[in-house]
Amino acid sequence: MRRFAGDRLLVATHNSGKLEEIADLLSGHAIHIIGAADLGLHEPEETGADFIANARIKAHAASRATGLPALADDSGLEINALDGAPGVHTADWAETSSGRDFVLAMTRAYNALVDSGAAQPWIARFCCTFVLAWPDGHSETFEGHMNGRITWPMRGDKGHGYDPIFQPDGHGITFGQMSRPEKNRVSHRADAFRKLKAVFQHG
């Protein structure tokens, strides 16, 4: 595994919620975090068939464009009764002509579950893939998951995305009801980061 030896890291996302979570997770390291929006980077088209492929597209595009090591994450919600949907289309379900609307996306997921006739509990999992890419084309990949269930109605106004309808296993509240530190201890992103952090440990 290649180690990260620099002090500047580009996080290849325009999602402020993700950027804040990743910055929190890296707060124990002497690394200056730069967001893609800070450098005016365009988001590449995510044409991959899975989370790994999309994370690679974003990480390598950002690293090539800036000459900096770039960390990208692709994450999403897989619902068993919907054959793994929305999956890689998790953000797409929120797209509208005026931007992303995750209340609309959560409602769409709920309606799809009702229409499917699937019995509760509605088992689901959040998935996260981190890809850290260097300007020379090398990359490292790390995956994380958090199992849980879909709950309705929406609960909580914290977090982002589908957090208000996802109740992680072992907890009586949704991600949307958790404080950021609490979520960062148990989330799919935290699971992936526990594997990723070895890259930032020297020696």
Side-chain angles (χ1 to χ4, degrees):
M1 179 190 301
R2 180 184 289 189
R3 306 285 184 174
F4 181 87
D7 59 2
R8 299 174 73 215
L9 176 66
L10 174 63
V11 177
T13 183
H14 288 73
N15 183 316
S16 60
K18 281 188 182 182
L19 183 62
E20 289 172 1
E21 284 187 15
I22 292 171
D24 281 351
L25 292 167
L26 287 170
S27 61
H29 301 273
I31 299 170
H32 177 59
I33 303 299
I34 306 164
D38 296 334
L39 300 181
L41 296 181
H42 294 292
E43 292 184 277
E45 187 176 357
E46 297 178 27
T47 56
D50 55 32
F51 298 119
I52 293 175
N54 282 334
R56 284 177 177 158
I57 288 170
K58 291 184 282 189
H60 285 290
S63 187
R64 285 194 303 268
T66 63
L68 292 170
L71 178 67
D73 121 290
D74 198 55
S75 55
L77 179 65
E78 296 180 337
I79 302 173
N80 288 16
L82 302 182
D83 297 322
V88 295
H89 302 293
T90 293
D92 296 338
W93 279 27
E95 292 292 352
T96 73
S97 59
S98 56
R100 289 177 178 173
D101 181 344
F102 280 99
V103 171
L104 176 69
M106 289 184 282
T107 303
R108 177 177 175 182
Y110 170 72
N111 288 338
L113 283 165
V114 171
D115 291 345
S116 76
Q120 295 193 46
W122 293 322
I123 303 302
R125 71 173 185 172
F126 264 121
C127 305
C128 172
T129 298
F130 278 129
V131 171
L132 177 59
W134 281 263
D136 66 359
H138 182 83
S139 64
E140 299 283 352
T141 302
F142 308 88
E143 295 182 271
H145 304 94
M146 183 66 217
N147 296 321
R149 63 185 63 189
I150 301 301
T151 184
W152 195 264
M154 305 171 204
R155 289 186 283 144
D157 57 3
K158 301 180 178 67
H160 55 91
Y162 296 74
D163 285 355
I165 64 168
F166 182 81
Q167 182 176 320
D169 285 351
H171 298 267
I173 61 176
T174 68
F175 271 171
Q177 293 171 297
M178 289 184 178
S179 66
R180 189 187 301 162
E182 185 179 7
K183 180 185 173 185
N184 280 349
R185 285 193 295 270
V186 301
S187 75
H188 50 303
R189 194 161 289 115
D191 184 33
F193 184 76
R194 278 189 284 272
K195 301 161 188 174
L196 167 71
K197 68 181 181 181
V199 171
F200 299 97
Q201 295 169 347
H202 300 290

